Amino acid sequence: MSLFRHRRLVDRLGRGLCGLATLLALVPLVSVLVWLVSHGARGLSFALFTELPKPFGEVGGGVGQALLGTGIMVGVALLLSMPLGILAGIALAEGGKSRFVQIVRFVADVLAGAPSIAVGVFVYTAVVMPMHGFSAFAGALALAVLMLPTITRSTEELLRLVPIHLREAGLALGLPAWRVTLSVTLKSALPGVATGIMLAVARAAGETAPLLFTAFGSQYWAWNLSEPMAALPLQIFTLASSPFEAWHQQAWAAALVLVTLVLLANLGARFVTRRARGGMAL
Amino acid sequence: MAASLNPTASTHSVADRWFRGLTVAAAAFLVLLLLAILLQLGRAALGALQVFGPVLLTGRTWDPAGATFGILPFVYGTVLTSLLALLIAAPVALGVAVYLAELAPEGAKAPVTVAVELLAAVPSIVYGLWGVFVLVPWLRDTVQPQLQTWLGFLPVFSGASIGFGVLAASLVLAVMILPTLAAISRDVLLAIPRAQREAALALGATRFEMIRDAVLPQALPGIVGAMMLGLGRALGETMAVTMVIGNRADISLSWFAPAQTMASLLANEYAEATEELHLGALAFVGLSLFAVTLLLNLGARGLVRRVAGSAARSPGGAR
Amino acid sequence: MMELEPAIAGPVRPIGSRSTPAPLPFPPERPRSSAKMSTDDLRAWFGTQEVLKGVTLALAERQVTAIIGPSGCGKSTFLRCLNRMHETVPGARAQGRVWLGEQDIYTVDPVVTRRRVGMVFQKPTPFPFLSIRDNVLAGLTLNRERPKHAHAVVEQALQQVGLWDEVKDRLDRPGTSLSGGQQQRLCIARALAVAPEVLLMDEPCSALDPIATARIEELIHELAGRYTMVIVTHNMQQAARVAHVTAFFYMGQLVESGATEQLFTNPKDPRTEDYLTGRFG
Ligand SMILES: Nc1ncnc2c1ncn2[C@@H]1O[C@H](COP(=O)(O)OP(=O)(O)OP(=O)(O)O)[C@@H](O)[C@H]1O
Ligand SMILES: [Mg+2]
């Protein structure tokens, strides 16, 4: 009898600890969000989005050039990585269980797990040094290298979820295999594939380390891909590392903008996948 | 019997063959990219390696002005912060995984899963900001003095409490790798067949006993794999660590002392480095980091796959 | 027609190679005038498992041929060799000859053959991302061919399968919004819209209720005068109702084929009789 009570006690305790661990895990998230809102909201202003940073001592200013820079570099990175990633994902999904597919899949996983700072070093030695200077193009390239394996793998997994009978129906209608791949298989998987790309974009938009010595950052409006360019995370780093209270305030505001963008992309992606799943079930 | 697997390929249209070729080329590009990264980093590191040899790895002095490069302090800082982070995060993550896989009521599952995913989605720089302005002051003013009062006799809790240092870096890292650990561990737990659980319950085991005696032992290799993936992520994590670790190339016993990791060294010095040897030594650091995460990935995916059967999926998240 | 076992193990030519044909054990049977399609010593493999062991069969033009036989005997595989769907399975391969009219289909682009030889699957497979109208047109529009009178094509195809009156008011709803039986008829309409000469059907009714089944059988009757059709079925009554000719497969081989009535009432091979009287599992 007492043995049973002991066992029941242990059962309760074990379950309680797991629940407690879950609560504990959420503490940092709540803390981060609370600080972002309480400190960031105060710094939000129209100028934050439209103006350049002001030298210290002057009031106001914004991070407009960093928002623009992030937009440009992530956009270029997307243009570089998306076609390649989707094509590679198709090759993996349609290549069966061949040795080539296994190798490429493993390589993609390794690249996805690679430290982003090391990718920055690679782009520095491969692009920045030969071109004798930091450039937005180098930054975009580093982001593209980080996005490529993610897009490849998520595209592959979503293509594999498309029922084989849809593909066969397309082939049996006399459509060439490549059209079936694009117009039937990829089309069916499109919501999910778009989600994967959106998540990769969100992640790239938040990357700092690979931009440190590729895009380098800038305090001016920049459109030219061959010049240094600002990015929102880089700007937050600069602002936070300064000794000035007003800049810290701006760092929180910029971080609030960044996190809002990233979390919206994540939640949006979840929403799209859920709807796509609902629609796919016959 | 025909030698080729698909003797009919030759009748396929040119467009089909081109498309297939294009996709295969794109896939092959990833392999080329990995090789290019390894080769390029290796080439950049070669000069420094030739000059210093093994001392590059074992030397304790890092002095760019004096052209002396030994990366041991950074290796120490990297390994120490990553292992501490793992030590802190692993039990919590295991609790979350068990809760999500076995205990959570239906209504709680989705919100907790979303929250854990969001935890992974917050960019590294934001954790750095939070570390600098929230975590570091709290450690400096509350946690570290308390630790010193009660456990000050331990060398790891000795020294001045400035907040920036190993402990702060480890805590931030722990937060950042927790979602990875929890998500993969949960997938591994869910992959354990139902029959095993039901057999344990039918024998009169309590829920907790079933988890402890029937589920966890089977899931163990997969959970170890998850930890290796988390460790790989911690080793390469840059921004948040750079912002809170204090950046000093010391090997100190104290966890309150500033230190530096390989990644934070790169973040601090790479853009300013001009000397060939300095750049080479830094490239060597990058190469080592890349190689170690590659090996960890290799081992970890094998372990996770052994349990979960399918390919290990790593959830997206901050690096 | 009895099964033709190749008596001599001669060198066999892989399907589709364009080189001069190696001598076959016996001269390749030229398609007879009444045969729309015919196979000649057709063999098929999944990996190393040989699942069709030399099938020689002629399919009469504008007639319905039923293929019956126990599960796993190779009926689906045989059907899928007739429009080169078999080879789309990784590791699958085929050997022998398949004639469509005067042409060996393994010497031309499979796309060409598949447009002439349509197929309907066991499970209805409308494209979930297309409307009813676009499903009918899928074989054309997904190939970037805009038919001049798209609406006429849709109406005609749907009329042919008797679906027009049921769906004419909701052509823009998704194809998956229809009932199972309607979906299957939609798939037949989709196959007909590309104007094939032959229609292959692999257990087209096995996922349907008796009423929907009766509807499809009726449809097969109606289409019989215009298309050459092959239907795989496990339902002997169905074969008897719809097919002019029936072929019995057993363990990858064609045991016998002949006029349906003759095969059912007076089988030549004891294995056929055993199967028809339910003596196999
Ligand atoms: N995709 C596949 N991979 C490997 N083997 C297969 C595959 N499809 C079928 N087979 C094998 O090929 C043989 C013939 O299969 P097939 O589907 O042609 O049989 P069937 O006569 O159509 O059976 P059923 O009446 O059950 O549909 C079977 O032994 C089966 O196990
Ligand atoms: Mg079958």
Side-chain angles (χ1 to χ4, degrees), chain A residues 7 11 14 21-22 31 35 87 91 106 114-115 117 124-125 146 157 177-178 203 207-208 213 240 248 262 266 270, chain B residues 15-16 19 23 40 92 99 114 117 121 125 129-130 133-134 204 208-209 238-239 270 290 293 298 313 316-317 319:
Chain A
R7 286 176 54 199
D11 182 46
T22 307
S31 172
W35 272 76
L87 284 174
F106 172 72
I117 187 93
Y124 181 89
T125 59
L146 292 171
E157 288 189 356
W178 68 276
R203 192 149 129 196
E207 284 284 359
T208 323
F213 29 84
H248 295 167
V262 169
N266 269 273
R270 280 187 75 82
Chain B
D16 264 348
F19 184 72
T23 61
Q40 186 70 26
V92 180
Y99 180 78
V114 172
E117 268 174 30
I125 183 78
L129 193 67
W130 176 77
F133 293 108
V134 183
F208 181 71
E209 285 168 340
T238 311
M239 289 323 290
Y270 209 97
F290 196 92
T293 43
L298 214 132
R313 289 177 303 129
R319 286 157 200 257

Side-chain angles (χ1 to χ4, degrees), chain A residues 4 7-8 10-19 21-29 31-33 35-36 83-88 90-92 94-95 100 103-122 124-126 129 134 145-150 152-153 157 176-179 181-182 202-203 205-209 212-213 216 233-234 236-237 239-242 248 251-252 255 258-259 262-263 266-267 270 274, chain B residues 12-13 15-16 19-20 22-34 36-38 40-41 43-44 91-100 103 110 112-119 121-127 129-130 132-134 175 178 203-209 211-212 232-233 235-239 242-243 262-263 266-268 270-273 279 282-283 286-287 289-290 293-294 297-298 301 305 311-319:
Chain A
F4 179 69
R7 286 176 54 199
R8 217 172 51 179
V10 171
D11 182 46
R12 289 251 174 91
L13 203 71
R15 292 208 224 175
L17 279 178
C18 290
T22 307
L23 283 181
L24 187 63
L26 300 183
V27 168
L29 181 67
S31 172
V32 168
L33 293 181
W35 272 76
L36 275 172
L84 266 178
I86 290 180
L87 284 174
I90 289 173
L92 292 186
E94 292 185 351
F100 175 72
I103 290 174
V104 173
R105 192 179 297 143
F106 172 72
V107 166
D109 285 345
V110 165
L111 282 174
S116 57
I117 187 93
V119 172
V121 175
F122 162 67
Y124 181 89
T125 59
M129 279 210 300
F134 302 112
V145 171
L146 292 171
M147 288 165 72
L148 178 60
T150 321
T152 302
R153 290 289 274 134
E157 288 189 356
W178 68 276
R179 275 226 194 278
T181 297
L182 293 181
R203 192 149 129 196
E207 284 284 359
T208 323
L212 283 171
F213 29 84
F216 193 69
L234 277 178
I236 296 172
F237 184 50
L239 293 169
S241 316
S242 79
H248 295 167
W252 281 107
L258 180 62
V259 168
V262 169
L263 292 195
N266 269 273
L267 290 176
R270 280 187 75 82
R274 184 147 347 126
Chain B
H12 285 262
S13 70
D16 264 348
F19 184 72
R20 180 92 199 122
L22 207 62
T23 61
V24 168
F29 179 79
L30 274 105
V31 181
L32 290 182
L33 184 63
L34 179 66
I37 292 176
L38 287 173
Q40 186 70 26
L41 291 180
R43 223 180 53 178
V92 180
L94 196 59
V96 176
V98 170
Y99 180 78
L100 281 178
L103 304 174
V112 173
T113 308
V114 172
V116 172
E117 268 174 30
L118 292 188
L119 198 60
V122 172
S124 167
I125 183 78
V126 176
Y127 280 120
L129 193 67
W130 176 77
V132 170
F133 293 108
V134 183
V175 171
L178 196 141
L203 287 173
T206 63
R207 268 301 252 310
F208 181 71
E209 285 168 340
I211 295 165
R212 190 190 57 194
R233 184 146 282 177
L235 291 175
E237 173 48 47
T238 311
M239 289 323 290
T242 305
M243 291 170 82
M262 295 159 80
L266 290 172
N268 278 310
Y270 209 97
E272 271 86 51
L279 278 170
L282 288 171
L287 178 65
L289 219 44
F290 196 92
T293 43
L294 197 149
N297 262 294
L298 214 132
R301 277 171 210 287
R305 202 165 301 151
R313 289 177 303 129
S314 58
R319 286 157 200 257

Side-chain angles (χ1 to χ4, degrees), chain A residues 197-264:
Chain A
I197 292 173
M198 205 144 108
L199 289 178
V201 164
R203 192 149 129 196
E207 284 284 359
T208 323
L211 300 179
L212 283 171
F213 29 84
T214 51
F216 193 69
S218 157
Q219 301 297 311
Y220 308 103
W221 297 108
W223 293 92
N224 194 335
L225 282 182
S226 62
E227 283 168 13
M229 194 180 271
L232 202 50
L234 277 178
Q235 195 67 26
I236 296 172
F237 184 50
T238 311
L239 293 169
S241 316
S242 79
F244 314 124
E245 186 64 32
W247 285 22
H248 295 167
Q249 170 88 42
Q250 217 171 39
W252 281 107
L256 179 61
V257 174
L258 180 62
V259 168
T260 307
L261 288 176
V262 169
L263 292 195
L264 275 184

